[in-house]
């Protein structure tokens, strides 16, 4: 099975969530390369410097220092040639406001509840 994407960036502060999500992405052959950043600020810096050029980003909402929505505000300030990734909000949040804000954000392709599953990956690759 060929990967759907070349580079996937996973942004989540939780080590266990990153471990589980990464394993699902790898076993589902979702991307050729999976890059993990535990800090949204670090992810923005990697994007700004050009160290990472993802085709797809999985972004958590609830993170210390900078949450997912604050990441999106900083993402919006990046050069247009950097902002080509599909962004999936991957969160355990049940707050209807988080869902609403996600669906209203021009960069978010889809809101996905944790944990990520192979079924969801198949739908994203279809």
């Amino acid at each position: 099975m060929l990967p759907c994407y070349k580079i996937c960036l996973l942004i989540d502060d939780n080590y266990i969530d990153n471990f589980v999500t990464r394993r699902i992405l790898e076993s589902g052959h979702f991307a050729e390369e999976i890059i993990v950043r535990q800090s949204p600020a670090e992810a923005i810096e990697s994007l700004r410097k050009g160290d990472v050029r993802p085709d797809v980003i999985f972004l958590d909402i609830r993170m210390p220092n900078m949450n997912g929505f604050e990441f999106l505000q900083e993402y919006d300030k990046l050069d247009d040639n950097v902002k080509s990734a599909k962004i999936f909000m991957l969160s355990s949040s049940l707050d209807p406001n988080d869902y609403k804000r996600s669906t209203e954000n021009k960069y978010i392709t889809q809101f996905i509840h944790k944990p990520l599953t192979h079924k969801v990956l198949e739908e994203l690759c279809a």
Side-chain angles (χ1 to χ4, degrees):
M1 173 186 240
L2 292 174
C4 299
Y5 296 96
K6 184 171 173 65
I7 300 173
C8 175
L9 176 60
L10 174 59
I11 306 169
D12 195 325
D13 66 304
N14 186 298
Y15 175 82
I16 299 297
D17 285 351
N18 283 334
F19 179 81
V20 170
T21 301
R22 183 184 192 116
R23 297 292 275 189
I24 291 167
L25 291 167
E26 288 172 345
S27 64
H29 305 286
F30 188 74
E32 289 177 27
E33 183 179 3
I34 300 161
I35 298 166
V36 177
R37 294 289 185 264
Q38 285 188 254
S39 155
E42 183 184 338
I44 285 291
E45 191 58 28
S46 293
L47 291 165
R48 186 175 287 123
K49 286 182 175 178
D51 297 340
V52 177
R53 288 282 185 244
D55 303 299
V56 63
I57 297 172
F58 286 98
L59 176 64
D60 188 25
I61 295 176
R62 309 262 184 218
M63 295 178 281
N65 302 320
M66 179 187 286
N67 68 35
F69 295 112
E70 292 165 334
F71 167 88
L72 292 168
Q73 290 172 344
E74 293 303 310
Y75 184 82
D76 189 50
K77 298 174 188 175
L78 297 174
D79 291 337
D80 286 342
N81 62 337
V82 176
K83 299 183 288 194
S84 60
K86 285 185 179 180
I87 302 178
F88 298 104
M89 194 65 89
L90 181 62
S91 179
S92 56
S93 173
L94 298 175
D95 184 338
N97 291 322
D98 286 342
Y99 179 79
K100 185 175 188 289
R101 285 181 70 189
S102 295
T103 58
E104 292 173 349
N105 189 285
K106 66 182 178 181
Y107 296 112
I108 301 297
T109 302
Q110 185 177 337
F111 184 98
I112 301 168
H113 284 283
K114 287 181 182 176
L116 189 62
T117 64
H118 285 122
K119 183 176 190 283
V120 169
L121 287 184
E122 288 173 16
E123 292 169 5
L124 298 180
C125 285

